[in-house]
Structure formats: structure tokens, C-alpha cells
């Protein structure tokens, strides 16, 4: 069993930065790949980024490459999403997810989800 709690969302002007954190608890955290997804009203949940168990491999959706960075600190049971050069199109509820069973980019593959944190980017 894994429990995830996101924090760090808020309102920011375009071009600004935010760092999201996902505090995790559970026996298997250190061996679990982690992902970040986002969902805007009326839109499908979208893959944003993922990182493997060691932090050595990362994946990003094309729209955030060069702007967002996913990282993890297993000693602190925390996964981060550093978001720079934010754009209005980044506005969404951001969710962290753990323990994908299949494709790391597929939301339905993950067994555990946080409650989400709102990110709003104004023009």
C-alpha cells in the first residue's frame, strides 16, 4: 500500500516557476517508478513526466521538455516536479502516481494516486 500527497501548487504568472512535491509512504516506494499527470477541466488526464526507481531514467511529454524536471529523493520518500517557464496551457490539476504496471505514460497503468494540486498560470 502506497499513500501519496501532493503540494506546491498555486497561482503564478506566465514565465514563472513552481516546484511540486509528492510525499510518499509505503514499503515499496524505493522500488516504484513515479509519474506526474495533469488534467484540465473537460480534458483527458495527460502524462507529464515519469522517473524510474533509481532516478536515473526520466521521461517527459514533448510540451514540457526543457522546462520541467522530475526528480526523486528516496531517502526522503519524495518526488518533485520543478516547473519553469510556465505557460497558461500548463494550467491543470497535477497528480502524482506510483507503481505503474505497464506503460509509464498510461494513467490507467498506475496503482496509486495522490489527491492532486492545482496549478494556475495566468497570462
Amino acid at each position: 500500500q502506497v499513500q501519496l500527497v501532493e503540494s506546491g501548487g498555486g497561482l503564478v504568472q506566465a514565465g514563472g516557476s513552481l516546484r511540486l512535491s509528492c510525499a510518499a509512504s509505503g514499503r515499496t516506494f524505493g522500488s516504484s517508478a513515479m509519474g506526474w499527470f495533469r488534467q484540465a477541466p473537460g480534458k483527458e488526464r495527460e502524462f507529464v513526466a515519469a522517473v524510474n526507481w533509481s532516478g536515473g531514467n526520466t521521461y517527459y511529454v514533448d510540451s514540457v521538455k526543457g522546462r520541467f524536471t522530475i526528480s526523486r529523493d528516496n531517502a526522503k520518500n519524495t518526488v518533485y516536479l520543478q516547473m519553469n517557464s510556465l505557460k497558461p496551457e500548463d494550467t491543470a490539476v497535477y497528480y502524482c502516481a506510483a507503481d505503474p504496471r505497464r506503460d509509464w505514460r498510461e494513467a490507467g497503468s498506475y496503482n496509486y494516486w495522490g489527491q492532486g494540486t492545482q496549478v494556475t498560470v495566468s497570462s
Side-chain angles (χ1 to χ4, degrees):
Q1 185 70 28
V2 176
Q3 190 172 63
L4 308 174
V5 180
E6 302 99 332
S7 62
L11 175 64
V12 65
Q13 277 271 288
S17 298
L18 287 172
R19 187 177 76 161
L20 306 184
S21 298
C22 177
S25 61
R27 306 186 207 94
T28 64
F29 177 78
S31 61
S32 174
M34 302 288 296
W36 285 96
F37 292 76
R38 63 189 182 187
Q39 188 167 22
K43 304 290 181 62
E44 298 293 322
R45 189 164 297 189
E46 176 190 24
F47 170 78
V48 177
V51 60
N52 75 332
W53 70 271
S54 69
N57 293 316
T58 58
Y59 306 89
Y60 301 92
V61 67
D62 287 344
S63 61
V64 309
K65 287 180 180 177
R67 300 189 298 121
F68 291 11
T69 303
I70 187 171
S71 61
R72 68 191 299 166
D73 186 339
N74 290 342
K76 298 181 179 179
N77 293 323
T78 303
V79 177
Y80 305 97
L81 185 68
Q82 178 67 46
M83 305 185 294
N84 299 326
S85 302
L86 282 161
K87 305 174 180 179
E89 65 195 50
D90 296 318
T91 295
V93 176
Y94 283 70
Y95 300 89
C96 66
D99 194 24
R101 298 289 83 192
R102 303 180 302 279
D103 188 350
W104 292 2
R105 298 187 176 195
E106 182 180 333
S109 178
Y110 287 80
N111 286 328
Y112 304 100
W113 292 86
Q115 83 286 356
T117 185
Q118 177 71 48
V119 172
T120 302
V121 185
S122 61
S123 300

